[in-house]
Amino acid sequence: MGATPLTGQPGRSRTDSRINRTMMKPRPTPSAPAESSATRAPLRLEKSESEVALGWLHTARFLTTAPQLHFLPDLDIPEIAFVGRSNAGKSTCINTLTQQKQLAFASKKPGRTQHINLFSLGKQGVMDAVLTDLPGYGYAAVPRQEKVRWQQVMANYLVTRKNLRGIVLMCDPRLGLTELDEVLLDLLRPRVQEGLKFLVVLTKADKLTRSEATKALSIARLQAGGGEVRLFSATKRTGIDEVAALLWAWAHPSVNATATADVEAVTPAA
Ligand code: GDP
Protein backbone atom coordinates (compact mmCIF):
# COMPACT_ATOMS: atom_id res chain seq x y z
CA MET A 1 0.00 0.00 0.00
CA GLY A 2 1.26 3.40 -0.86
CA ALA A 3 -0.49 5.01 2.08
CA THR A 4 1.26 5.60 5.37
CA PRO A 5 0.60 2.57 7.54
CA LEU A 6 -1.53 3.04 10.60
CA THR A 7 0.97 3.35 13.33
CA GLY A 8 -1.15 4.39 16.30
CA GLN A 9 1.06 5.58 19.11
CA PRO A 10 4.33 5.76 17.14
CA GLY A 11 2.73 8.00 14.52
CA ARG A 12 1.50 10.27 17.23
CA SER A 13 4.84 10.47 18.98
CA ARG A 14 6.60 11.30 15.68
CA THR A 15 4.09 14.07 15.16
CA ASP A 16 4.61 15.30 18.72
CA SER A 17 8.36 15.46 18.27
CA ARG A 18 7.91 17.37 15.01
CA ILE A 19 5.68 19.87 16.80
CA ASN A 20 8.23 20.22 19.57
CA ARG A 21 11.03 20.82 17.05
CA THR A 22 8.90 23.41 15.31
CA MET A 23 8.11 25.11 18.59
CA MET A 24 11.78 25.19 19.60
CA LYS A 25 12.94 26.65 16.28
CA PRO A 26 13.81 30.37 16.73
CA ARG A 27 11.49 32.67 14.81
CA PRO A 28 13.29 34.55 12.01
CA THR A 29 13.94 38.16 12.92
CA PRO A 30 12.39 40.74 10.58
CA SER A 31 15.87 41.52 9.19
CA ALA A 32 16.70 37.88 8.37
CA PRO A 33 16.34 37.00 4.69
CA ALA A 34 13.26 34.96 3.95
CA GLU A 35 13.94 31.26 3.33
CA SER A 36 13.66 30.50 -0.37
CA SER A 37 11.35 27.69 -1.35
CA ALA A 38 14.40 25.85 -2.74
CA THR A 39 16.16 25.74 0.65
CA ARG A 40 13.09 25.21 2.82
CA ALA A 41 12.83 21.62 4.07
CA PRO A 42 9.64 20.06 2.78
CA LEU A 43 7.06 19.71 5.55
CA ARG A 44 5.89 16.14 5.35
CA LEU A 45 2.63 15.79 7.22
CA GLU A 46 1.80 12.26 8.16
CA LYS A 47 -1.70 11.07 7.63
CA SER A 48 -3.67 10.24 10.73
CA GLU A 49 -5.14 6.77 11.23
CA SER A 50 -8.59 7.91 10.26
CA GLU A 51 -7.38 9.73 7.12
CA VAL A 52 -5.70 6.55 5.92
CA ALA A 53 -8.78 4.51 6.80
CA LEU A 54 -11.21 6.92 5.13
CA GLY A 55 -9.02 7.12 2.00
CA TRP A 56 -9.11 3.34 1.83
CA LEU A 57 -12.89 3.17 2.39
CA HIS A 58 -13.40 5.75 -0.35
CA THR A 59 -12.04 3.20 -2.86
CA ALA A 60 -15.20 1.08 -2.37
CA ARG A 61 -16.75 -0.06 -5.65
CA PHE A 62 -19.73 -2.27 -6.35
CA LEU A 63 -18.34 -5.77 -6.94
CA THR A 64 -21.28 -8.13 -7.27
CA THR A 65 -24.74 -8.97 -6.03
CA ALA A 66 -25.95 -12.43 -5.08
CA PRO A 67 -29.54 -13.55 -4.52
CA GLN A 68 -28.32 -16.37 -2.28
CA LEU A 69 -25.24 -17.29 -0.30
CA HIS A 70 -24.01 -19.98 -2.64
CA PHE A 71 -23.75 -17.41 -5.46
CA LEU A 72 -21.13 -15.42 -3.54
CA PRO A 73 -17.67 -15.60 -5.10
CA ASP A 74 -15.00 -17.42 -3.09
CA LEU A 75 -12.53 -14.82 -1.91
CA ASP A 76 -9.35 -15.06 0.12
CA ILE A 77 -9.19 -11.44 1.26
CA PRO A 78 -10.75 -10.11 4.48
CA GLU A 79 -14.50 -9.58 4.37
CA ILE A 80 -16.42 -7.26 6.66
CA ALA A 81 -20.19 -7.70 6.76
CA PHE A 82 -22.79 -5.08 7.66
CA VAL A 83 -26.01 -6.40 9.17
CA GLY A 84 -29.02 -4.85 10.84
CA ARG A 85 -32.73 -4.59 10.78
CA SER A 86 -34.29 -2.52 7.98
CA ASN A 87 -34.23 1.20 8.63
CA ALA A 88 -31.46 0.93 11.23
CA GLY A 89 -29.30 3.24 9.09
CA LYS A 90 -27.07 0.59 7.43
CA SER A 91 -27.08 2.07 3.91
CA THR A 92 -26.49 5.57 5.24
CA CYS A 93 -23.60 4.31 7.36
CA ILE A 94 -21.95 2.48 4.43
CA ASN A 95 -22.39 5.52 2.19
CA THR A 96 -20.99 7.83 4.87
CA LEU A 97 -17.96 5.65 5.57
CA THR A 98 -17.17 5.24 1.88
CA GLN A 99 -17.99 8.93 1.20
CA GLN A 100 -20.25 7.94 -1.68
CA LYS A 101 -23.82 9.08 -2.05
CA GLN A 102 -25.35 6.07 -3.74
CA LEU A 103 -23.15 3.04 -3.08
CA ALA A 104 -25.26 1.11 -0.59
CA PHE A 105 -28.54 2.33 -1.99
CA ALA A 106 -27.90 -0.18 -4.80
CA SER A 107 -29.07 -2.66 -2.16
CA LYS A 108 -32.42 -0.87 -1.97
CA LYS A 109 -33.33 -1.16 -5.62
CA PRO A 110 -36.55 -3.12 -6.18
CA GLY A 111 -35.75 -6.80 -6.43
CA ARG A 112 -32.40 -6.34 -4.70
CA THR A 113 -33.50 -5.82 -1.11
CA GLN A 114 -32.99 -9.49 -0.29
CA HIS A 115 -29.69 -9.69 -2.17
CA ILE A 116 -26.22 -9.80 -0.68
CA ASN A 117 -24.15 -6.98 -2.14
CA LEU A 118 -20.37 -6.97 -2.18
CA PHE A 119 -18.15 -3.90 -2.51
CA SER A 120 -14.46 -4.16 -3.24
CA LEU A 121 -11.87 -2.08 -1.40
CA GLY A 122 -8.26 -1.40 -2.21
CA LYS A 123 -5.90 1.31 -3.35
CA GLN A 124 -4.28 1.46 -6.77
CA GLY A 125 -6.78 -1.02 -8.13
CA VAL A 126 -5.52 -3.82 -5.88
CA MET A 127 -8.47 -5.33 -4.04
CA ASP A 128 -7.44 -6.01 -0.45
CA ALA A 129 -10.83 -6.44 1.29
CA VAL A 130 -14.56 -6.53 0.68
CA LEU A 131 -17.52 -4.98 2.42
CA THR A 132 -20.66 -7.09 2.39
CA ASP A 133 -24.09 -5.56 2.76
CA LEU A 134 -26.40 -8.29 4.03
CA PRO A 135 -30.16 -7.89 3.57
CA GLY A 136 -31.84 -5.85 6.27
CA TYR A 137 -34.18 -7.94 8.32
CA GLY A 138 -37.78 -7.02 8.86
CA TYR A 139 -39.56 -4.63 11.09
CA ALA A 140 -40.86 -5.86 14.46
CA ALA A 141 -43.80 -7.74 13.00
CA VAL A 142 -42.03 -10.22 10.75
CA PRO A 143 -43.80 -13.41 9.77
CA ARG A 144 -42.29 -16.40 11.56
CA GLN A 145 -41.37 -18.05 8.27
CA GLU A 146 -39.28 -15.04 7.25
CA LYS A 147 -37.52 -14.97 10.62
CA VAL A 148 -36.58 -18.62 10.27
CA ARG A 149 -35.31 -18.07 6.73
CA TRP A 150 -33.19 -15.11 7.86
CA GLN A 151 -31.73 -17.12 10.75
CA GLN A 152 -30.74 -19.88 8.33
CA VAL A 153 -29.07 -17.43 5.96
CA MET A 154 -27.13 -15.78 8.79
CA ALA A 155 -26.10 -19.08 10.36
CA ASN A 156 -24.90 -20.38 6.98
CA TYR A 157 -23.08 -17.16 6.19
CA LEU A 158 -21.27 -17.20 9.52
CA VAL A 159 -20.31 -20.83 9.17
CA THR A 160 -19.41 -20.96 5.49
CA ARG A 161 -17.76 -17.60 4.85
CA LYS A 162 -14.20 -18.55 5.60
CA ASN A 163 -12.71 -15.12 4.77
CA LEU A 164 -15.12 -13.31 7.11
CA ARG A 165 -13.00 -11.03 9.32
CA GLY A 166 -15.61 -8.92 11.03
CA ILE A 167 -19.28 -8.14 11.51
CA VAL A 168 -20.76 -4.68 11.99
CA LEU A 169 -24.22 -4.77 13.54
CA MET A 170 -26.23 -1.60 13.02
CA CYS A 171 -28.64 -0.76 15.80
CA ASP A 172 -30.95 2.22 16.28
CA PRO A 173 -30.41 2.82 20.01
CA ARG A 174 -33.85 4.31 20.42
CA LEU A 175 -35.25 0.86 19.61
CA GLY A 176 -32.48 -1.24 21.14
CA LEU A 177 -31.57 -4.71 20.02
CA THR A 178 -34.48 -6.61 18.54
CA GLU A 179 -35.18 -10.33 18.80
CA LEU A 180 -33.31 -11.01 15.56
CA ASP A 181 -30.33 -8.93 16.71
CA GLU A 182 -30.20 -11.18 19.77
CA VAL A 183 -30.36 -14.26 17.56
CA LEU A 184 -27.43 -12.87 15.58
CA LEU A 185 -25.44 -12.26 18.77
CA ASP A 186 -26.00 -15.88 19.81
CA LEU A 187 -24.89 -17.11 16.40
CA LEU A 188 -21.83 -14.87 16.49
CA ARG A 189 -20.57 -15.69 19.96
CA PRO A 190 -18.61 -18.85 19.08
CA ARG A 191 -16.91 -17.15 16.13
CA VAL A 192 -16.08 -14.04 18.16
CA GLN A 193 -14.38 -16.36 20.66
CA GLU A 194 -12.36 -17.75 17.74
CA GLY A 195 -11.23 -14.24 16.77
CA LEU A 196 -13.97 -12.83 14.54
CA LYS A 197 -14.14 -9.06 15.03
CA PHE A 198 -17.47 -7.59 16.06
CA LEU A 199 -18.75 -4.03 16.31
CA VAL A 200 -22.15 -2.66 17.31
CA VAL A 201 -22.78 0.71 15.66
CA LEU A 202 -25.41 2.73 17.50
CA THR A 203 -26.84 4.77 14.64
CA LYS A 204 -28.67 8.12 14.53
CA ALA A 205 -26.84 9.21 17.69
CA ASP A 206 -27.86 12.81 16.89
CA LYS A 207 -31.34 11.88 18.09
CA LEU A 208 -30.10 11.07 21.59
CA THR A 209 -29.44 13.42 24.48
CA ARG A 210 -26.05 13.09 26.11
CA SER A 211 -27.43 10.98 28.98
CA GLU A 212 -29.42 8.76 26.60
CA ALA A 213 -26.24 8.21 24.58
CA THR A 214 -24.27 7.24 27.68
CA LYS A 215 -27.00 4.83 28.72
CA ALA A 216 -27.29 3.32 25.24
CA LEU A 217 -23.52 2.78 25.15
CA SER A 218 -23.43 0.96 28.47
CA ILE A 219 -26.39 -1.28 27.60
CA ALA A 220 -24.91 -2.16 24.20
CA ARG A 221 -21.50 -2.87 25.76
CA LEU A 222 -23.11 -5.41 28.07
CA GLN A 223 -24.98 -7.03 25.19
CA ALA A 224 -22.06 -7.02 22.74
CA GLY A 225 -20.02 -9.55 24.70
CA GLY A 226 -16.45 -9.27 23.46
CA GLY A 227 -17.38 -6.81 20.69
CA GLU A 228 -16.79 -3.09 20.34
CA VAL A 229 -19.55 -0.45 20.50
CA ARG A 230 -19.51 3.00 18.89
CA LEU A 231 -22.01 5.85 18.61
CA PHE A 232 -22.52 6.99 15.02
CA SER A 233 -24.36 9.82 13.35
CA ALA A 234 -24.28 10.49 9.64
CA THR A 235 -25.92 13.89 10.09
CA LYS A 236 -23.69 15.13 12.92
CA ARG A 237 -20.71 13.15 11.55
CA THR A 238 -20.04 11.47 14.88
CA GLY A 239 -18.01 8.28 15.15
CA ILE A 240 -17.02 8.18 11.46
CA ASP A 241 -13.26 8.38 12.07
CA GLU A 242 -13.34 5.80 14.83
CA VAL A 243 -15.42 3.26 12.91
CA ALA A 244 -13.31 3.77 9.77
CA ALA A 245 -10.08 3.22 11.73
CA LEU A 246 -11.46 0.04 13.31
CA LEU A 247 -12.48 -1.46 9.95
CA TRP A 248 -9.09 -0.58 8.46
CA ALA A 249 -7.33 -2.28 11.35
CA TRP A 250 -9.49 -5.40 11.01
CA ALA A 251 -8.66 -5.72 7.34
CA HIS A 252 -4.93 -5.03 7.79
CA PRO A 253 -3.87 -6.99 10.88
CA SER A 254 -0.39 -7.66 9.50
CA VAL A 255 0.28 -3.93 9.04
CA ASN A 256 -0.82 -3.32 12.62
CA ALA A 257 1.29 -6.21 13.87
CA THR A 258 4.31 -4.79 12.00
CA ALA A 259 3.65 -1.35 13.44
CA THR A 260 3.41 -2.85 16.94
CA ALA A 261 6.63 -4.77 16.37
CA ASP A 262 8.32 -1.52 15.21
CA VAL A 263 7.24 0.22 18.40
CA GLU A 264 8.57 -2.60 20.50
CA ALA A 265 11.86 -2.51 18.59
CA VAL A 266 12.41 1.21 19.15
CA THR A 267 10.93 1.53 22.63
CA PRO A 268 13.62 1.06 25.27
CA ALA A 269 12.70 -1.48 27.93
CA ALA A 270 11.34 0.14 31.08
P1 GDP B 1 -31.26 0.90 6.25
O1 GDP B 1 -32.62 0.40 5.90
O2 GDP B 1 -30.73 0.24 7.48
O3 GDP B 1 -30.29 0.85 5.12
O4 GDP B 1 -31.44 2.44 6.69
P2 GDP B 1 -31.20 3.80 5.90
O5 GDP B 1 -29.75 4.09 5.77
O6 GDP B 1 -32.00 3.81 4.64
O7 GDP B 1 -31.79 4.85 6.94
C1 GDP B 1 -33.13 4.74 7.40
C2 GDP B 1 -33.62 6.13 7.78
O8 GDP B 1 -32.85 6.65 8.85
C3 GDP B 1 -33.51 7.13 6.63
O9 GDP B 1 -34.63 7.98 6.69
C4 GDP B 1 -32.24 7.90 6.96
O10 GDP B 1 -32.24 9.22 6.46
C5 GDP B 1 -32.28 7.90 8.48
N1 GDP B 1 -30.91 8.00 9.03
C6 GDP B 1 -29.86 7.22 8.75
N2 GDP B 1 -28.76 7.61 9.43
C7 GDP B 1 -29.14 8.68 10.17
C8 GDP B 1 -28.45 9.53 11.12
O11 GDP B 1 -27.25 9.40 11.41
N3 GDP B 1 -29.19 10.51 11.72
C9 GDP B 1 -30.51 10.68 11.44
N4 GDP B 1 -31.13 11.66 12.10
N5 GDP B 1 -31.18 9.91 10.56
C10 GDP B 1 -30.51 8.92 9.92
Side-chain angles (χ1 to χ4, degrees):
M1 269 199 44
T4 313
L6 292 184
T7 49
Q9 203 53 44
R12 226 167 281 139
S13 60
R14 271 205 295 277
T15 310
D16 291 348
S17 62
R18 188 175 53 233
I19 292 169
N20 289 340
R21 276 202 306 277
T22 314
M23 286 165 65
M24 280 154 52
K25 203 171 152 188
R27 285 165 183 241
T29 57
S31 57
E35 251 182 321
S36 81
S37 58
T39 56
R40 200 183 304 139
L43 180 63
R44 201 171 62 81
L45 291 176
E46 284 180 37
K47 285 188 177 175
S48 68
E49 286 185 18
S50 55
E51 278 174 322
V52 173
L54 285 166
W56 171 71
L57 284 167
H58 189 50
T59 64
R61 296 286 175 272
F62 176 76
L63 181 67
T64 190
T65 183
Q68 280 162 26
L69 281 181
H70 63 268
F71 287 112
L72 286 181
D74 277 338
L75 297 168
D76 58 3
I77 48 175
E79 181 160 325
I80 297 173
F82 284 70
V83 291
R85 84 178 253 193
S86 308
N87 223 34
K90 178 159 59 75
S91 312
T92 307
C93 179
I94 294 175
N95 288 343
T96 306
L97 289 170
T98 58
Q99 308 129 75
Q100 299 184 33
K101 286 202 174 82
Q102 293 298 329
L103 192 71
F105 287 126
S107 323
K108 298 206 152 204
K109 285 194 180 139
R112 282 242 192 118
T113 52
Q114 288 308 304
H115 282 212
I116 301 159
N117 293 295
L118 262 57
F119 307 109
S120 66
L121 287 170
K123 291 218 155 189
Q124 278 125 27
V126 181
M127 185 160 87
D128 65 357
V130 279
L131 293 184
T132 299
D133 186 3
L134 288 162
Y137 30 95
Y139 297 94
V142 190
R144 200 186 115 69
Q145 222 181 340
E146 199 194 316
K147 282 186 188 172
V148 171
R149 193 189 94 82
W150 177 84
Q151 286 179 34
Q152 280 165 350
V153 171
M154 275 317 299
N156 278 342
Y157 178 75
L158 290 168
V159 170
T160 59
R161 211 58 190 153
K162 300 282 176 250
N163 61 323
L164 185 64
R165 180 66 51 79
I167 296 261
V168 184
L169 170 63
M170 318 302 302
C171 168
D172 182 337
R174 294 168 306 163
L175 305 171
L177 293 178
T178 62
E179 184 197 335
L180 288 180
D181 294 325
E182 304 272 7
V183 169
L184 179 79
L185 289 178
D186 286 342
L187 290 169
L188 271 176
R189 216 153 275 138
R191 279 207 69 176
V192 171
Q193 277 162 8
E194 289 165 13
L196 182 78
K197 305 290 185 189
F198 176 51
L199 165 69
V200 177
V201 170
L202 299 174
T203 55
K204 311 180 195 180
D206 51 284
K207 304 237 185 202
L208 302 179
T209 63
R210 195 181 284 251
S211 67
E212 284 168 343
T214 311
K215 195 171 160 199
L217 267 177
S218 14
I219 294 173
R221 280 195 186 116
L222 287 175
Q223 290 168 319
E228 308 262 358
V229 184
R230 295 288 183 279
L231 287 165
F232 190 93
S233 162
T235 36
K236 286 262 174 74
R237 307 197 59 77
T238 317
I240 300 172
D241 290 357
E242 281 179 76
V243 172
L246 259 182
L247 303 190
W248 197 93
W250 288 0
H252 303 89
S254 54
V255 176
N256 288 324
T258 314
T260 313
D262 287 348
V263 189
E264 281 162 4
V266 296
T267 309

